[in-house]
C-alpha cells in the first residue's frame, strides 16, 4: 500500500510538502496534552504524524478510500487513532464529537471545493469545539474577516462571526503544495466564544434570515426576505419597520447586530403564531 498515486483534482488533493509550513500549522493548532483532535482530509499525512504524537485521541475523516486504507494500516498499532473512510459532508459531526465529553480541536487543510460547506457544518457544532485551525483558499478566508458593505462580506462572515473569534495566522503560497494550486491559501484560527456575539433568538431562524438576505445580491433586502420560507407567515415590511432597517438596502450592508434584530423579531412572530395555532387546536 502506498500514497504515490497521482493526486486527485476532484478531491482537491493539494498536499502540503513544506516542512516549515507544516510545523507552523501544528504550532498554530496548539494541541493540549490528551486532547481529542479531528483532522478532516489527512491526505498523505503531512499533518497527521505530528497530530498523532500530540493528541490523546485523533479521528481522521478521509474520502479517498486508498488513503483512508493507508492511514488505517499506518496506525494499526496506534489505539488512539481512528480512521473514518467517508465524505465529511455525510458524517454526523454532532454524534461523532459527542463521543468525547471534552471539547475538540479541529485541524484541516480543507479541499477548496467543499470548504464553505464544511465551514457551515463546523459552525453547527461550535459548542463541541475548543479551537479550529483551518487552511482555506485565501479568498474564502478573507471573506470571514470582511466588514459589512464589501463584496467579500457574506453568509459565512455573519454566521461564523456570531460564534467565533477568527484570527488570521499566516498566508501560504502555492509552492508549499504538491501539486501547486493556482491561488494563495491562508491559515486561520477559530476560537469559539463562550456566548454568541449577539442575541439572535432562534438560531435556525437566524440562519434563514442571513441566507435569504444574501440570496440575491442585486435585489433589495425586502425582496430577498420576501422569498424566505418564514415570509409566508409574516409581513416583511412590518419586520423591517420594527427593526428600523430600510428595506431598500442590500443584505450585504447589514451588521451582525441588525441581522440579530431581524432574527429576534421573526423568532418572536413565529412563536406567537405557533402558540395561537395550538390554542385554536
Ligand atoms: N491534509 C493533507 C495535507 O495537508 O497535505 C491533505 C490536504 S488536501 C488539500 C484535502 C484532503 O481532503 C485530501 O486528502 C482529500 O482526499 C480529502 N477530501 C476531499 N474531499 C473530502 C471529503 N468530502 N471528505 C473527506 N475528505 C475529503
Amino acid at each position: 500500500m502506498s500514497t504515490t498515486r497521482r493526486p486527485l483534482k476532484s478531491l482537491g488533493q493539494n498536499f502540503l510538502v513544506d516542512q516549515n509550513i507544516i510545523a507552523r500549522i501544528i504550532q498554530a493548532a496548539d494541541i493540549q496534552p490528551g486532547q481529542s483532535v479531528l483532522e478532516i482530509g489527512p491526505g498523505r499525512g503531512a499533518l497527521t504524524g505530528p497530530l498523532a504524537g500530540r493528541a490523546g485521541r485523533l479521528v481522521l475523516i478521509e474520502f479517498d478510500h486508498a488513503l483512508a486504507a493507508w492511514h488505517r494500516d499506518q496506525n494499526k498499532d496506534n489505539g488512539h487513532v481512528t480512521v473514518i473512510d467517508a465524505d465529511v459532508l455525510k458524517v454526523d459531526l454532532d454524534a461523532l464529537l459527542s463521543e468525547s465529553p471534552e471539547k475538540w480541536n479541529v485541524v484541516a487543510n480543507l479541499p477548496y471545493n467543499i470548504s464553505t460547506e464544511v465551514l457551515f457544518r463546523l459552525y453547527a457544532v461550535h459548542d463541541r469545539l475548543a479551537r479550529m485551525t483551518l487552511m482555506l483558499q485565501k479568498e474564502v478566508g478573507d471573506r470571514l474577516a470582511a466588514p459589512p458593505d464589501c463584496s467579500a462580506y457574506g453568509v459565512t462572515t455573519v454566521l461564523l462571526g456570531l460564534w467565533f473569534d477568527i484570527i488570521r495566522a499566516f498566508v501560504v503560497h502555492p509552492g508549499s503544495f504538491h501539486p501547486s494550486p493556482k491561488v494563495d491559501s491562508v491559515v486561520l484560527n477559530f476560537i469559539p466564544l463562550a456566548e454568541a456575539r449577539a442575541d439572535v433568538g432562534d438560531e435556525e431562524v437566524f440562519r434563514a434570515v442571513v441566507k435569504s438576505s444574501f440570496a440575491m445580491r442585486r435585489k433589495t433586502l425586502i425582496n430577498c426576505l420576501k422569498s424566505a420560507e418564514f415570509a409566508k407567515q409574516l409581513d416583511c415590511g412590518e419586520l423591517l419597520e420594527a427593526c428600523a432597517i430600510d428595506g431598500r438596502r442590500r443584505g450585504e450592508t447589514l451588521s451582525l447586530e441588525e441581522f440579530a434584530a431581524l432574527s429576534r423579531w421573526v423568532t418572536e412572530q413565529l412563536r406567537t403564531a405557533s402558540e395561537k395555532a395550538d390554542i385554536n387546536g
Side-chain angles (χ1 to χ4, degrees):
M1 212 172 297
S2 90
T3 58
T4 52
R5 195 205 50 212
R6 273 179 61 188
L8 299 173
K9 211 172 170 187
S10 59
L11 289 181
Q13 292 185 342
N14 299 100
F15 299 116
L16 266 172
V17 290
D18 182 331
Q19 293 306 319
N20 176 42
I21 295 295
I22 293 168
R24 289 176 72 190
I25 293 175
I26 297 298
Q27 194 183 17
D30 193 29
I31 311 292
Q32 300 302 308
Q35 197 175 11
S36 295
V37 178
L38 168 65
E39 187 188 4
I40 300 169
R44 290 180 178 170
L47 302 168
T48 316
L51 290 175
R54 287 165 174 78
R57 176 174 183 203
L58 176 63
V59 175
L60 311 173
I61 304 179
E62 174 56 67
F63 198 22
D64 180 324
H65 308 308
L67 288 177
W70 180 77
H71 280 289
R72 231 173 237 144
D73 187 54
Q74 290 288 301
N75 288 292
K76 56 180 182 295
D77 299 325
N78 291 337
H80 70 304
V81 180
T82 311
V83 182
I84 301 178
D85 178 351
D87 176 355
V88 65
L89 301 178
K90 303 244 167 76
V91 173
D92 181 342
L93 288 181
D94 194 43
L96 172 69
L97 302 185
S98 65
E99 284 173 15
S100 160
E102 271 106 52
K103 301 209 170 187
W104 290 69
N105 198 324
V106 179
V107 181
N109 166 15
L110 288 176
Y112 289 162
N113 51 341
I114 57 163
S115 58
T116 303
E117 251 178 287
V118 174
L119 281 174
F120 286 137
R121 275 159 197 271
L122 291 170
Y123 154 82
V125 293
H126 60 81
D127 54 336
R128 303 212 178 272
L129 305 176
R131 185 189 189 90
M132 302 198 285
T133 302
L134 306 179
M135 174 136 62
L136 301 163
Q137 190 176 333
K138 187 169 164 292
E139 195 191 318
V140 177
D142 287 346
R143 234 179 265 158
L144 293 168
D149 213 3
C150 83
S151 62
Y153 184 69
V155 178
T156 46
T157 327
V158 182
L159 294 189
L160 279 108
L162 180 68
W163 277 109
F164 293 93
D165 270 336
I166 302 172
I167 302 154
R168 186 175 150 136
F170 53 92
V171 170
V172 183
H173 299 298
S176 296
F177 303 86
H178 170 74
S180 299
K182 291 199 171 64
V183 292
D184 280 341
S185 304
V186 65
V187 175
L188 300 171
N189 273 318
F190 296 72
I191 314 293
L193 302 169
E195 274 182 31
R197 218 178 285 278
D199 173 9
V200 299
D202 182 328
E203 272 204 48
E204 222 172 287
V205 170
F206 178 64
R207 280 196 285 276
V209 166
V210 175
K211 284 189 176 169
S212 60
S213 300
F214 284 102
M216 297 172 284
R217 279 197 177 244
R218 296 216 187 113
K219 298 227 165 152
T220 57
L221 180 61
I222 185 146
N223 281 330
C224 288
L225 291 172
K226 274 181 183 167
S227 67
E229 196 57 32
F230 59 73
K232 291 181 186 151
Q233 295 182 65
L234 52 82
D235 181 333
C236 288
E238 238 179 84
L239 159 66
L240 289 160
E241 205 179 315
C243 300
I245 296 173
D246 186 339
R248 290 166 300 181
R249 286 170 62 185
R250 312 266 158 193
E252 70 212 46
T253 66
L254 266 62
S255 65
L256 174 62
E257 288 66 29
E258 288 176 313
F259 281 119
L262 291 174
S263 175
R264 282 197 303 275
W265 198 87
V266 174
T267 302
E268 200 43 51
Q269 296 299 309
L270 295 182
R271 194 172 292 146
T272 310
S274 118
E275 279 165 11
K276 269 192 198 149
D278 283 350
I279 291 168
N280 296 334

